[in-house]
Amino acid sequence: MQRPETKPEPEPEPDPSLFAWFARAAERGNPYAQFNLALLYKNGDGVRRDDGLACLWLARAARQHLAFAQNHLGSMYSQGRGVAQSHSLAAYWFGLAAEQGDASAQQNLGDLYRKGRGVSRQPDQAVAWYYKAAEQDLASAQRLLGECYLNGEGVAVNHALAMAWFRKAAVLEDAAAEVELGLMYRRGQGTAAEASGRSGGEAEALHWFRRAAGRGHPAAQRLLGLACLEGVAGCDPQGAYTWLQCAARQGDAEAQFTLGQMLAGGQGGTGHCDEVRALAWTTRAAEQGHVLAQYNLGNMYAHGRGVPRDPARALHWYRMAAEQGAPNAQFTLGVMYAHGQGVRRDETAAVGWYRRAAEQGDASAQNNLGVMYANGQGVRQDDALAVHWYGLAAEQGHALAQYNLGGMYNSGRGVERDTVRSYMWMLLAADAGDPAASANKAIVARRLSPQQIDSAVDMQRAWRRARTVESPERRAA
C-alpha cells in the first residue's frame, strides 16, 4: 500500500508562561525555581542564552544548599562559563554537593583530585569519591573506578576489580566501559587467561567492541575496523572500511589516518587506490596532531601524491611531525635543509635536525650527521665525531654508514688506521647492498694478506652472530 506524503510535526514553541512562572518563583526565593530558571538561561530554552544569568541563579539556589545547583555551579566554574574559570571554586561547590550525596558532584570532585586541579593531587581521594558515586550506579564513575584499578591510580593494580567495575558500567550501557572491557579481554587481563599467562579472548573482546560501536562510540568503531583489516577471526574483512569511516567521520584521528592509508593502497574493501580521498582523510588526521599523518602528508606533498607537488607544504607538515619528536620527520627535514628542498639551504639547520633524530637512534640521521662532521658542513670538521656517528649507525646495520666507517678505518681518519677492520665493514656493507662497498672492498683486499682477509671474515661472522642486521629503510640522498 502506498502512503501519502506527510508533513513533519512542528517543533513545540517554548512556553513563555513557564519562564514567567519560574522567574516569579525564583524572585520569591524558591531554590528549585532558581535552579530551573538557571537551566533555561544556560540552555537558551525559551529565552536568550545567558551564562552569566545562569550562574547568578545557580549561585542563589546553591547558597540555599540545593545539591544539584551546587554541582552545576561547580561545572560552570570548572569550564569558565559565565564566570572566570576557577578550579578551586569548582572544588568548593562540588565538595558541598558531594557531601550531600550528589553522585555527579562526587565524580566531578574525584576528577579534580585525580588531576590536581583546584586541590592537591590525591589519587586515593579520587578513588574514594568515585567509589561513593559508583555505589549509586553512576556508570561513568564505575568506569573511572575501573580505570584506577587498571592503572594503579590511588589503589594497587587489580585487574579483576577493574574488570568488575567496567562490567557494572557496561551493563548500564556505558560505551566507553564496553571498550575498556573489550580491551581487557583482548589482553587477557582479569581473566583466567591472565592467570595462565595466555593471551585474552578475541571473541569476547569483539562482542564488547560491537556493543559500543553500535552505540556510536568512535574508538570501538575504529577497533572493529582494525580487527577486520587484520583478518581477526569472526570479522568480515570487507567491514574494515565501513567501521573506520564511521569512526573517522566522528573525528577519530587514528581512524582518519588508517582510512587514508587504506585509500592510498586500495585495501580493506576500498576497491581501488584513491589518492585524492586519501589526502583528505590524512589531512584531517594531521590537523588534529596525528604525528604519522603529518609525516605521511609531508610525503604526499613532497612526491605529488593526490595533490600537486609542493615542497614548501611538505616542509610544513614534516616540521609539524618533527616538532612532536618524530625521528623520520626530523631526518627528512635535515635532508631538505641540507639540499635546499622547499627551503633555503641551511647546513647548520640540517645538522640540528639530523642530531635530534640521531639522538633518538635513527640510523640514517646518524650516518648523515657523520657525513656533516667528516666534511665540516654546518659544523666544525671533526673526524672523531664522524666516526662516532658512523659507528652508531653501522652497528644498526646501516649499509652506507658501514661503508663510510670502513673508509675512515682505511684512511685512519678519526680513528687508528686498521685495514682489517676496514675490510670487515666493507664486507658487511656490500652484503647489505651498498654498491660502493661492493666496488671498493676488492681495492682494500689487495693490501691484505690471506691471513688478514680470513681475520676480517671471522670478525664479520662474529658481528653477524651477535646482532641482527637489518637493511636500512632509507639512504641519504
Side-chain angles (χ1 to χ4, degrees):
M1 177 184 295
Q2 295 190 8
R3 294 175 296 172
E5 181 180 351
T6 58
K7 293 182 179 180
E9 290 289 330
E11 291 290 329
E13 292 292 328
D15 184 357
S17 63
L18 183 66
F19 173 79
W21 188 91
F22 282 142
R24 287 194 300 270
E27 290 289 357
R28 296 191 197 103
N30 184 309
Y32 296 95
Q34 291 169 343
F35 173 72
N36 282 294
L37 185 59
L39 291 187
L40 294 180
Y41 278 116
K42 182 180 178 183
N43 301 323
D45 188 3
V47 66
R48 183 178 179 182
R49 177 176 164 177
D50 190 323
D51 286 341
L53 284 174
C55 285
L56 184 148
W57 288 110
L58 283 173
R60 292 189 180 185
R63 292 190 188 102
Q64 296 195 64
H65 314 293
L66 196 63
F68 33 86
Q70 293 168 338
N71 179 57
H72 272 73
L73 186 57
S75 295
M76 299 295 272
Y77 274 109
S78 180
Q79 299 167 29
R81 284 186 59 183
V83 288
Q85 187 178 51
S86 172
H87 291 302
S88 59
L89 283 174
Y92 170 76
W93 289 112
F94 286 150
L96 291 179
E99 290 291 355
Q100 293 192 67
D102 187 280
S104 294
Q106 291 167 342
Q107 177 184 309
N108 290 335
L109 187 58
D111 287 340
L112 294 183
Y113 275 112
R114 189 180 185 186
K115 299 169 185 174
R117 292 179 179 170
V119 290
S120 60
R121 186 174 181 273
Q122 299 180 58
D124 57 330
Q125 283 295 311
V127 168
W129 286 113
Y130 287 156
Y131 193 84
K132 289 178 182 293
E135 284 190 314
Q136 297 189 63
D137 283 336
L138 185 62
S140 54
Q142 293 171 336
R143 168 172 43 82
L144 292 168
L145 193 54
E147 289 178 8
C148 290
Y149 277 109
L150 180 65
N151 302 320
E153 296 180 68
V155 287
V157 171
N158 188 320
H159 291 161
L161 282 175
M163 178 167 277
W165 283 112
F166 285 144
R167 190 179 296 280
K168 283 178 179 288
V171 168
L172 294 173
E173 301 185 350
D174 185 289
E178 291 171 335
V179 172
E180 293 289 354
L181 200 55
L183 289 171
M184 289 195 74
Y185 271 108
R186 172 172 284 179
R187 295 188 294 254
Q189 295 173 319
T191 66
E194 183 178 33
S196 63
R198 292 182 286 110
S199 59
E202 193 66 50
E204 191 70 17
L206 290 174
H207 163 74
W208 291 107
F209 292 157
R210 288 191 179 101
R211 280 178 54 127
R215 300 186 209 287
H217 195 284
Q221 293 168 339
R222 167 171 43 83
L223 288 165
L224 268 183
L226 292 174
C228 293
L229 192 62
E230 294 162 4
V232 173
C235 287
D236 177 8
Q238 300 302 310
Y241 182 79
T242 300
W243 284 117
L244 286 167
Q245 189 174 56
C246 288
R249 285 175 173 167
Q250 293 194 70
D252 187 289
E254 187 65 33
Q256 292 168 344
F257 167 69
T258 306
L259 206 56
Q261 287 188 305
M262 290 171 63
L263 287 162
Q267 295 175 293
T270 59
H272 61 281
C273 175
D274 188 334
E275 290 184 336
V276 174
R277 291 172 67 202
L279 176 77
W281 284 116
T282 304
T283 300
R284 290 177 68 173
E287 288 173 344
Q288 292 196 70
H290 192 288
V291 65
L292 289 177
Q294 291 170 341
Y295 177 72
N296 279 12
L297 193 55
N299 284 339
M300 296 175 89
Y301 277 106
H303 302 292
R305 296 202 301 267
V307 69
R309 187 173 177 274
D310 189 336
R313 292 294 295 167
L315 184 85
H316 167 77
W317 288 111
Y318 285 140
R319 186 184 298 278
M320 295 288 285
E323 292 290 0
Q324 290 198 70
N328 49 2
Q330 292 167 344
F331 165 77
T332 304
L333 272 183
V335 172
M336 294 182 78
Y337 273 105
H339 297 278
Q341 299 171 351
V343 68
R344 182 179 177 182
R345 183 173 178 177
D346 186 338
E347 291 180 340
T348 301
V351 167
W353 286 113
Y354 285 150
R355 189 183 306 280
R356 289 175 68 170
E359 288 173 348
Q360 293 192 70
D362 187 285
S364 294
Q366 291 169 341
N367 173 72
N368 283 20
L369 188 55
V371 171
M372 302 299 272
Y373 273 110
N375 297 335
Q377 295 173 283
V379 71
R380 183 177 59 83
Q381 199 274 340
D382 190 324
D383 285 340
L385 281 174
V387 168
H388 167 75
W389 289 111
Y390 287 151
L392 291 178
E395 290 291 353
Q396 293 192 66
H398 192 285
L400 183 53
Q402 291 171 337
Y403 169 73
N404 288 334
L405 186 58
M408 300 296 273
Y409 273 107
N410 186 52
S411 59
R413 289 182 56 188
V415 68
E416 185 176 349
R417 186 178 184 187
D418 187 335
T419 312
V420 173
R421 193 167 295 276
S422 170
Y423 187 59
M424 183 268 286
W425 285 115
M426 293 284 184
L427 288 174
L428 285 167
D431 287 350
D434 188 90
S438 299
N440 285 286
K441 68 178 183 178
I443 298 173
V444 178
R446 293 192 196 111
R447 297 197 297 270
L448 299 176
S449 67
Q451 292 80 10
Q452 288 176 315
I453 290 175
D454 289 342
S455 178
V457 170
D458 288 341
M459 291 167 61
Q460 176 202 25
R461 289 171 178 167
W463 189 93
R464 287 190 180 283
R465 285 195 298 270
R467 302 165 182 85
T468 300
V469 181
E470 297 181 358
S471 299
E473 294 182 358
R474 59 177 179 266
R475 301 281 298 279

